[in-house]
Amino acid sequence: MFVLELTYTAPLERVDAALDQHVEWLRKEYAAGHFLAAGRKVPRDGGVILAAGMDRATVERIVSEDPFALAGVCEYRITEFVATTTAPAMEQYREQLPS
């Protein structure tokens, strides 16, 4: 599982100019089963996406296709973790520690 943390590197006017395309990209990745949750940080200086079901190379490719990244208005920090415990509704994403 991955936590994708976006930090804006441009004024909000530039972020908002790419927002509709970013939302379409999010919808595409939700439909593909890659994203579990996403939203703005508070205060609004970036966002967070929870992603699962793929390897790091795939995550890096997907992130590079984000219209925010293509417009140069954000940077990503990708954190991979092993979700050994989950809420019951997310049990299908529970993982085992590697041997």
Side-chain angles (χ1 to χ4, degrees):
M1 191 169 290
F2 296 87
V3 176
L4 312 177
E5 182 181 3
L6 296 79
T7 301
Y8 298 146
T9 59
L12 286 178
E13 298 80 33
R14 286 193 48 215
V15 172
D16 287 341
L19 185 59
D20 288 344
Q21 295 88 359
H22 174 75
V23 170
E24 283 302 312
W25 171 81
L26 287 169
R27 287 185 182 134
K28 180 183 90 166
E29 298 306 328
Y30 276 115
H34 296 149
F35 292 171
L36 305 177
R40 292 178 178 172
K41 293 193 289 186
V42 177
R44 188 181 175 202
D45 60 2
V48 175
I49 301 169
L50 186 60
M54 59 197 139
D55 60 22
R56 188 175 188 94
T58 302
V59 170
E60 290 173 354
R61 178 189 53 79
I62 289 169
V63 163
S64 74
E65 297 169 352
D66 178 359
F68 278 176
L70 294 172
V73 300
C74 81
E75 292 180 349
Y76 271 91
R77 177 177 178 207
I78 301 171
T79 304
E80 184 173 4
F81 73 103
V82 180
T84 56
T85 59
T86 63
M90 293 184 62
E91 187 173 333
Q92 67 181 340
Y93 300 104
R94 194 170 299 153
E95 301 171 305
Q96 298 293 318
L97 289 173
S99 306

